[in-house]
Amino acid sequence: MATVELTFSALPAHVRTARLVATAIARRTGVAEEILDEVRLAVGEACSRAVEAHRLHCPDEPVRIELRDDEGRFEVTVTDVAPSDDVTPRVLAANGNPMPEMAGLGLAVIAGLADDVEVLPGPKGMCIRMSWPASSNGAAATA
Amino acid sequence: MDLKLDHHSEDNLTIVDVEGEIDVYTAPRLRELLIDLVNKGNFHLLVNMEKVDFLDSTGLGVLVGGLKRVRAHDGSLELVCTQERILKIFRITGLTKVFGIYSSVDEAKEMHGRDK
């Protein structure tokens, strides 16, 4: 099992970096090209949720993302340490205020995109684990 | 790619051209533009997303927020988008029922003209 771990400061600008890293590793792991957009979006949603939670509760703590090649599956775990029971992302209205009716949209998007999703309590905050099929030898990347 | 925003008005319609990625980092800029346009009396907006590479739920939230603002003035906010990967997120969230989504600016302008 090959693992890449990344920690980044809870800044919105770094979410894009996390997306790019996840997409690159997914491609290398053998995730099919037509699924890479889904990986990119789902990882971005999970990281956005974690960054927003950290900015609210613990802005100095980094967000952690693990990317694993797990025997034919590409697995991503995004972990935050924000002490909050609220696992839903804050979606902002045009005036910058949270939109309660849009809460959960990010998780809904993840659920619609990832092949397999679990939202679990982490050591301090939340873990979102999601996975997609990948060729066991990364063959899809070079096919 | 970062986010590029431009806009111009044709008749009663303000066309907002968006290029790049709309995410948690860049969405506030789109939000500010939409607020500014509405505050200046532009209540019929057409957001051209043909050059958008990436859209997440933060961007969706900004578009829905913009829609609520223009509807408060009996206005409209519609979209131009033909990219399957962008349309997919609208379908997953059910927002295809909320936004008018057109395949070209000309098609949207034609429909807007009929509705006037």
Side-chain angles (χ1 to χ4, degrees), chain A residues 67-117:
Chain A
L67 307 119
R68 274 188 295 277
D69 174 4
D70 190 6
E71 296 179 353
R73 304 286 302 175
F74 173 62
E75 185 177 290
V76 181
T77 305
V78 178
T79 306
D80 71 74
V81 294
S84 170
D85 293 332
D86 179 15
V87 300
T88 58
R90 293 187 312 142
V91 177
L92 303 180
N95 61 7
N97 292 328
M99 300 173 68
E101 69 273 29
M102 300 287 282
L105 193 61
L107 283 178
V109 171
I110 293 171
L113 293 173
D115 195 54
D116 175 38
V117 185

Side-chain angles (χ1 to χ4, degrees), chain A residues 10-116:
Chain A
L11 297 172
H14 293 333
V15 172
R16 179 171 182 260
T17 305
R19 284 201 307 264
L20 292 172
V21 170
T23 308
I25 295 173
R27 181 178 281 118
R28 183 179 168 81
T29 303
V31 173
E33 283 291 324
E34 59 268 25
I35 303 178
L36 290 178
D37 274 337
E38 299 179 6
V39 173
R40 183 166 73 136
L41 182 52
V43 170
E45 293 289 354
C47 290
S48 295
R49 192 210 67 82
V51 165
E52 290 295 339
H54 275 220
R55 290 175 78 195
L56 208 58
H57 297 286
C58 50
D60 295 332
E61 293 287 339
V63 172
R64 184 159 171 258
I65 176 169
E66 295 173 41
L67 307 119
R68 274 188 295 277
D69 174 4
D70 190 6
E71 296 179 353
R73 304 286 302 175
F74 173 62
E75 185 177 290
V76 181
T77 305
V78 178
T79 306
D80 71 74
V81 294
S84 170
D85 293 332
D86 179 15
V87 300
T88 58
R90 293 187 312 142
V91 177
L92 303 180
N95 61 7
N97 292 328
M99 300 173 68
E101 69 273 29
M102 300 287 282
L105 193 61
L107 283 178
V109 171
I110 293 171
L113 293 173
D115 195 54
D116 175 38

Side-chain angles (χ1 to χ4, degrees), chain B residues 79-106:
Chain B
L79 310 172
V80 173
C81 182
T82 58
Q83 297 185 77
E84 185 53 36
R85 63 181 174 182
I86 303 294
L87 289 170
K88 186 170 187 175
I89 186 171
F90 284 96
R91 277 200 288 271
I92 287 171
T93 53
L95 290 173
T96 47
K97 296 170 187 164
V98 174
F99 291 102
I101 301 178
Y102 298 100
S103 58
S104 71
V105 170
D106 285 343

Side-chain angles (χ1 to χ4, degrees), chain A residues 91-94 99 102 105, chain B residues 56-66 95:
Chain A
V91 177
L92 303 180
M99 300 173 68
M102 300 287 282
L105 193 61
Chain B
D56 70 5
S57 63
T58 318
L60 289 179
V62 168
L63 292 172
V64 171
L95 290 173

